[in-house]
Amino acid sequence: MAFRSIGAGGRAEDGGEDSRGGGAGAGKLSFYEAAPDEEISLEDFEEYALDRLRVLKEIEEARSRGKKMEEMDPLVSDLWRKHMGSDSSKKDVISHFILRLAYCRTEDLRRWFLGIESVLFRHRFRCEMPAAQQKLMDDCNLPYKAMTSAEIEAVKENLESVARSTNQVSNSKMYYKVPFEDVPELVSGRKVYLRRGEAFVPREQLSFLVVGQFRSRLSKALVLTNRKWISFIAGEEKDRLAPMVEALSTRYLGPDYTQPKSSNEIALQDLDQLAKASFPLCMRSLFFQLRDDHHLRHGGRQQLGLFLKLEDALAFWRAEFSRKVGVEKFDKEYAYNVRHNYGKEGKRTDYTPYSCVKLIMSTPGVGDHHGCPYRHFSEDKLRASLGGLGLNSRQVSSALEKTRSQHYQLACAEVFEAVHGCSSDGINHPNQYFEQSRALLQQPKVKQMCSFSFNDTVEFFSQEEPASGGENNNNDANEEKTTLMIS
Amino acid sequence: RLFVDGKHPSCDSSFFGRREFSFTLENDIYLRYMSFRDASEFEATVCEKRPQKIDIGAVYSVDPAKRLAYANVSNDRVFAPVEKELVFDVDMTDYDDIRNCCSGADICLKCWPLMTIAIKVVDSTLREDFGFDHILWVYSGRRGVHCWVCDARARKLTNEQRASIADYFRVYKGNENNNRKVSLPTHLHPFLARTYSQFLSRYFDEEILIKQSLLHPQENADKVLKLLSGEGMSMQYMSSVYSELPVQLEEKKRNNTLLPDKINRQRWADLQRKLMQKRGIQRELVFTYTYPRLDLEVTKKMNHLLKAPFCIHPKTGRVCVPIDPADCDNFDPTTVPTLPEVLVFRLKHVNSSFSSVSSCSMI
């Protein structure tokens, strides 16, 4: 099938080798300006897309585990080689454009794709040779001016100051004058010197500039692709490509927490018990704060409210809040918000419960109790809370160590393991913690075992409640199994 | 009666029509997505509906009041914010953990300097670092200030860019579950270094230390000590600062009212000496007690609505007057005119307009 008609996103086809990235060598990085002009089979169509999706998904996973920039660079290189091969220019470009189709259709999908492709681009860029980096910059006509040495000299002290404040060595001779709008990450982290709206970006941080450009171009292209897809393709390709393209985006998404599954809907009366047994620490502390104080500020209400997805949320919140502020005031000031969260007001969006990453990145302030406890609690407070969950001091220390090295989700997973006696599948979302916990605790008469990692032949097996009270030494056939049982 | 002159000297005559307003009426009825063709339609609707509060939102791609006509275009968001001033909101309740004079919705001249500092720091940074020029500061009517940056460049910022500016300002990271509020690297970014030397340390010494009486009596001092207690310094060590304070009985006899000021200054000097080796901590302390605390969420999103300047605050009756950042040291929130005062003034001085004033009943 030919791409030409749908992929380009509005820019004139160059068709030239270089812009397609087919020129100089394996894995040549490009801005994907021009759609590929190739014919490929439908099988390849799917396979290329899935391989790229695997790369993107693993990148996301690594980021959620808090990997730093330097760790991500080699990781991305490896992933790329593994899934995309070493002579990958054609596959690179084609798979990118296929995924554009799949991920242009809604704003959420666009946002996700944009974010993760930008990360991929950033790390591939960082791994390129300086000459290739420079060429990429030049080729794509980035509009930034290099500063003259006189200009640099005039602000030398400030430039050095910034470098020192971010623990970087400032032996850069090259600086670029960039509007601050184009380097939001640098501005956010106070990693760059600003003057009258211009950021003075050193060569080492070039990748931010380039990635910023990549991002804004891709963002525009996605919107255009979407328009074309709707108006042109959906009719023609309805039976051939559309199902495959649509399946690609839903295939990635892990469990979808937008629609609560009915089996997981929580009944009001069970809440306290559930909170003690199965809530992750973030929701547990919010919940009991609410019980104690009969009040939560906005951030806390959002975080807990979206997590709970109660059948009768309004009754729950009203019961709690009315004890402090009275029913009338609740109805006036808070009820709207609760209904809004459930899509019954305003935009009518059924908001998705916040994922771990979102909680970790939130900014609780004075009077707030929300966020991720492993990130936002002081060590003392965290120690006390974990103690309250019944962890022994060794388990607490282990979790605290993870938080010190900023592996917040790993800390949460450790706590899950300590509380349930069984490890989790990794924690990316509070509702995921909750579901896994319920799944474990709701195994009625079956004692489950976690398999040992050092012995692959150990089977996962269940044990009936022994009539003789657990003594099995009268049966030779069972002996081997019993010695492996976790008591 | 009140309204903003929304006329913007732009060539785009549809600009005003695409601006979102919201009204809060009596009985807490909230009307969003209001828009008006021009100032006279706005005035007429205000008189008709008599809102208690008027908020200003973004300028959208189409008139907000007509947005539903475009609701059928699938997927793409045809109705979307296009421009919005960059705004900041500073609220005194965010400083409750360091105020000794008031709390909650109350304010007084002892804690107002915190707002003065916020205005000066944010204003100067917006100009010097970000290059903005058209900045309006407004008293929020009760316990804080708002900032409107109206440069075209500011109006066109995306949410991500707004968030980055908000984060640039962010220093304070305390919340209910963590005492450690401010954590700064040894070497400061030029913006923070400049803020500290030009504003924070001066205001701390001359205003906050004394007006909040941070180190006297003992219970105030203990609050400060508590902040330091995580830094490998025991309470005993810190309280030994006080035993060094010479008892000046003659002072006591001479003038009782001066004594607390002197005690505060003396103790602060002693504390600084004690912290000599740990200069970073002293700086963090000053930041904790002076650095602006912004409500970041207000700044980050284009679709956030903010109270209109010159509104009357429904709970205090005060007019949301502008504040001149160059002269904000002299701004006194307790003498801001209230609605009755304004009406009386008009009655006295503008007799011919009396009938139009009374036809739009008191809001």
Side-chain angles (χ1 to χ4, degrees):
Chain A
M1 56 145 296
F3 276 85
R4 195 181 276 269
S5 54
I6 43 174
R11 184 166 138 149
E13 293 280 345
D14 281 348
E17 290 275 339
D18 286 291
S19 63
R20 241 192 289 138
K28 182 172 163 165
L29 201 51
S30 77
F31 278 91
Y32 308 108
E33 291 285 309
D37 183 16
E38 313 255 346
E39 297 248 342
I40 60 168
S41 66
L42 278 179
E43 288 80 26
D44 280 347
F45 183 89
E46 195 175 20
E47 187 194 303
Y48 286 5
L50 285 177
D51 280 342
R52 192 184 190 90
L53 214 41
R54 286 188 184 104
V55 175
L56 296 181
K57 187 180 174 191
E58 294 211 38
I59 291 178
E60 187 183 44
E61 194 98 333
R63 293 233 306 166
S64 76
R65 293 200 191 292
K67 287 225 182 291
K68 307 217 168 72
M69 285 279 240
E70 305 75 43
E71 296 169 310
M72 290 290 289
D73 290 337
L75 185 76
V76 171
S77 293
D78 288 342
L79 278 174
W80 190 261
R81 238 191 325 272
K82 179 172 156 198
H83 292 291
M84 302 295 282
S86 34
D87 184 17
S88 59
S89 300
K90 169 177 150 180
K91 190 170 173 183
D92 177 13
V93 181
I94 291 178
S95 61
H96 172 86
F97 276 92
I98 299 174
L99 290 188
R100 272 202 204 180
L101 293 180
Y103 284 88
C104 68
R105 292 169 305 113
T106 74
E107 186 163 330
D108 279 345
L109 290 176
R110 287 198 290 272
R111 194 181 311 135
W112 180 81
F113 184 67
L114 189 61
I116 204 75
E117 277 278 332
S118 299
V119 173
L120 171 64
F121 182 88
R122 170 192 299 154
H123 291 287
R124 288 180 69 199
F125 182 83
R126 283 162 61 96
C127 296
E128 286 280 2
M129 300 268 92
Q133 290 179 342
Q134 188 64 45
K135 182 152 200 303
L136 196 68
M137 269 188 75
D138 295 339
D139 278 351
C140 299
N141 294 323
L142 288 185
Y144 306 125
K145 290 195 285 280
M147 286 169 72
T148 66
S149 31
E151 288 174 316
I152 296 178
E153 193 60 35
V155 291
K156 198 162 86 114
E157 250 181 59
N158 285 314
L159 295 174
E160 280 168 14
S161 235
V162 174
R164 286 228 295 261
S165 76
T166 53
N167 290 327
Q168 278 168 356
V169 187
S170 76
N171 51 12
S172 181
K173 296 286 168 13
M174 285 268 274
Y175 279 84
Y176 293 81
K177 261 199 268 195
V178 177
F180 76 86
E181 290 94 329
D182 290 0
V183 282
E185 297 106 328
L186 295 181
V187 172
S188 243
R190 286 193 292 266
K191 291 190 171 120
V192 70
Y193 178 59
L194 291 183
R195 179 140 77 174
R196 293 293 297 165
E198 289 188 309
F200 298 164
V201 183
R203 224 199 150 280
E204 293 83 64
Q205 297 189 314
L206 221 53
S207 60
F208 283 110
L209 292 177
V210 181
V211 175
Q213 275 294 309
F214 173 82
R215 235 192 121 100
S216 68
R217 289 175 197 209
L218 183 55
S219 177
K220 293 183 185 119
L222 279 175
V223 173
L224 282 167
T225 306
N226 183 42
R227 289 203 188 130
K228 290 195 180 186
W229 174 256
I230 293 169
S231 64
F232 185 57
I233 296 304
E236 280 188 20
E237 296 285 355
K238 202 158 79 128
D239 298 318
R240 193 173 68 133
L241 281 187
M244 205 187 296
V245 163
E246 275 156 34
L248 276 174
S249 55
T250 46
R251 208 143 160 189
Y252 139 73
L253 291 167
D256 178 3
Y257 291 108
T258 324
Q259 262 78 41
K261 305 182 189 92
S262 46
S263 59
N264 272 332
E265 251 156 35
I266 307 167
L268 270 178
Q269 49 268 48
D270 298 332
L271 266 181
D272 278 40
Q273 180 49 35
L274 281 175
K276 286 201 190 102
S278 294
F279 279 16
L281 188 59
C282 48
M283 300 303 172
R284 194 188 145 103
S285 55
L286 273 176
F287 180 81
F288 286 112
Q289 176 64 30
L290 177 64
R291 281 275 192 240
D292 279 337
D293 201 32
H294 304 297
H295 190 273
L296 275 183
R297 281 183 121 207
H298 181 259
R301 294 201 299 275
Q302 287 293 99
Q303 186 172 312
L304 186 61
L306 291 172
F307 168 76
L308 286 179
K309 287 287 184 187
L310 290 171
E311 275 231 32
D312 202 354
L314 207 50
F316 166 71
W317 291 103
R318 182 186 282 126
E320 279 304 325
F321 271 64
S322 57
R323 298 224 230 150
K324 190 162 192 178
V325 303
V327 178
E328 232 184 57
K329 186 161 181 199
F330 173 80
D331 281 336
K332 263 194 195 176
E333 298 190 14
Y334 297 98
Y336 177 88
N337 242 139
V338 176
R339 288 200 304 277
H340 197 282
N341 278 352
Y342 284 74
K344 305 229 179 340
E345 300 278 358
K347 243 170 45 164
R348 320 256 155 175
T349 318
D350 203 6
Y351 287 97
T352 326
Y354 297 156
S355 65
C356 287
V357 172
K358 182 143 187 188
L359 297 186
I360 290 170
M361 310 270 266
S362 67
T363 57
V366 177
D368 285 328
H369 295 266
H370 60 275
C372 171
Y374 301 100
R375 163 102 159 75
H376 296 113
F377 280 20
S378 66
E379 229 184 72
D380 285 339
K381 170 97 193 191
L382 194 52
R383 195 184 291 272
S385 307
L386 293 180
L389 286 175
L391 269 62
N392 64 43
S393 55
R394 187 184 46 80
Q395 293 166 325
V396 171
S397 301
S398 176
L400 284 178
E401 222 188 272
K402 292 274 181 326
T403 62
R404 273 187 220 115
S405 38
Q406 298 178 322
H407 292 134
Y408 310 115
Q409 286 163 264
L410 292 182
C412 191
E414 285 236 356
V415 173
F416 182 97
E417 190 171 329
V419 167
H420 295 84
C422 192
S423 63
S424 66
D425 288 337
I427 305 290
N428 286 319
H429 199 294
N431 288 80
Q432 184 189 27
Y433 181 111
F434 179 78
E435 275 181 16
Q436 288 186 39
S437 172
R438 295 317 299 155
L440 277 177
L441 295 175
Q442 273 162 359
Q443 302 292 324
K445 284 164 188 160
V446 174
K447 211 202 292 186
Q448 285 200 320
M449 283 180 27
C450 302
S451 50
F452 285 96
S453 56
F454 63 79
N455 187 345
D456 284 334
T457 62
V458 173
E459 302 274 333
F460 210 91
F461 66 98
S462 65
Q463 172 93 20
E464 308 284 322
E465 295 259 74
S468 51
E471 300 293 321
N472 281 319
N473 45 12
N474 56 350
N475 187 339
D476 282 283
N478 275 336
E479 213 161 86
E480 200 174 283
K481 290 180 188 171
T482 56
T483 58
L484 295 172
M485 203 154 45
I486 303 175
S487 54
Chain B
R1 198 177 94 232
L2 45 90
F3 77 93
V4 174
D5 180 3
K7 286 200 288 287
H8 184 88
S10 74
C11 326
D12 184 355
S13 55
S14 73
F15 191 86
F16 184 72
R18 291 183 285 120
R19 168 79 70 178
E20 181 192 359
F21 291 89
S22 79
F23 287 179
T24 308
L25 309 180
E26 268 179 12
N27 301 319
D28 292 328
I29 299 174
Y30 185 65
L31 301 172
R32 248 201 99 164
Y33 297 118
M34 309 207 55
S35 63
F36 313 98
R37 236 184 358 255
D38 52 32
S40 55
E41 190 186 325
F42 177 73
E43 183 178 337
T45 317
V46 169
C47 288
E48 178 205 326
K49 295 216 189 295
R50 301 180 218 156
Q52 292 190 331
K53 187 157 99 88
I54 301 178
D55 290 331
I56 299 181
V59 175
Y60 284 78
S61 48
V62 298
D63 290 19
K66 300 180 187 150
R67 72 197 181 284
L68 297 173
Y70 299 87
N72 283 329
V73 181
S74 59
N75 283 340
D76 257 346
R77 294 223 271 131
V78 173
F79 174 67
V82 164
E83 283 191 27
K84 169 77 167 31
E85 288 73 12
L86 176 65
V87 291
F88 295 89
D89 179 1
V90 195
D91 188 322
M92 197 66 95
T93 51
D94 287 336
Y95 295 79
D96 276 356
D97 58 311
I98 56 168
R99 289 199 287 168
N100 289 330
C101 53
C102 317
S103 72
D106 299 324
I107 57 156
C108 69
L109 289 177
K110 289 187 188 167
C111 50
W112 188 257
L114 290 166
M115 291 294 120
T116 309
I117 299 169
I119 294 174
K120 284 198 183 283
V121 171
V122 174
D123 190 79
S124 63
T125 308
L126 288 174
R127 290 176 204 274
E128 285 175 41
D129 290 28
F130 291 98
F132 295 126
D133 295 312
H134 302 284
I135 304 176
L136 172 70
W137 286 92
V138 182
Y139 175 50
S140 77
R142 187 162 57 160
R143 61 187 192 219
V145 294
H146 296 158
C147 174
W148 297 78
V149 184
C150 307
D151 298 55
R153 195 177 174 186
R155 296 199 310 264
K156 298 194 166 92
L157 291 171
T158 64
N159 285 353
E160 187 187 8
Q161 289 156 349
R162 287 162 206 263
S164 75
I165 298 177
D167 284 335
Y168 187 78
F169 279 104
R170 184 163 175 247
V171 168
Y172 182 82
K173 291 188 171 118
N175 61 71
E176 290 305 301
N177 290 313
N178 191 342
N179 260 330
R180 186 89 185 284
K181 320 284 189 181
V182 169
S183 176
L184 297 167
T186 328
H187 203 94
L188 292 182
H189 185 282
F191 151 56
L192 293 180
R194 181 188 76 222
T195 301
Y196 182 73
S197 59
Q198 262 183 27
F199 302 112
L200 302 187
S201 89
R202 182 164 59 92
Y203 273 91
F204 181 88
D205 287 341
E206 294 167 21
E207 300 270 346
I208 306 293
L209 174 65
I210 301 304
K211 291 196 169 142
Q212 291 294 318
S213 195
L214 289 179
L215 294 174
H216 174 74
Q218 192 66 34
E219 61 183 6
N220 284 1
D222 283 345
K223 276 168 70 175
V224 177
L225 289 191
K226 211 163 159 213
L227 287 180
L228 298 172
S229 64
E231 303 306 322
M233 287 183 284
S234 65
M235 283 288 270
Q236 293 98 320
Y237 172 75
M238 290 318 304
S239 52
S240 70
V241 169
Y242 304 110
S243 59
E244 287 173 19
L245 182 69
V247 176
Q248 299 191 336
L249 291 167
E250 295 96 288
E251 281 293 340
K252 239 185 187 168
K253 283 181 203 159
R254 223 176 293 158
N255 193 338
N256 257 329
T257 55
L258 282 182
L259 193 58
D261 287 4
K262 233 184 158 184
I263 294 181
N264 274 302
R265 288 212 174 89
Q266 183 73 58
R267 284 183 173 176
W268 177 235
D270 288 344
L271 196 55
Q272 284 178 298
R273 259 199 304 277
K274 271 253 153 68
L275 291 173
M276 197 62 117
Q277 264 67 38
K278 312 197 182 199
R279 194 153 290 171
I281 295 180
Q282 179 201 318
R283 205 167 50 187
E284 283 181 5
L285 208 58
V286 171
F287 267 83
T288 305
Y289 280 92
T290 57
Y291 186 83
R293 299 178 187 188
L294 310 175
D295 185 346
L296 302 176
E297 292 306 308
V298 169
T299 306
K300 286 180 177 181
K301 297 257 165 76
M302 265 180 125
N303 62 3
H304 198 104
L305 295 140
L306 196 60
K307 184 146 86 211
F310 295 107
C311 265
I312 309 289
H313 193 289
K315 300 214 172 80
T316 63
R318 297 214 190 262
V319 182
C320 298
V321 293
I323 302 176
D324 178 2
D327 195 34
C328 57
D329 286 292
N330 295 325
F331 179 80
D332 182 349
T334 62
T335 61
V336 169
T338 62
L339 178 61
E341 289 167 20
V342 171
L343 289 174
V344 164
F345 183 86
R346 284 189 71 120
L347 275 173
K348 272 198 214 156
H349 296 269
V350 196
N351 280 323
S352 55
S353 320
F354 178 75
S355 55
S356 62
V357 168
S358 62
S359 67
C360 289
S361 51
M362 267 210 269
I363 296 166

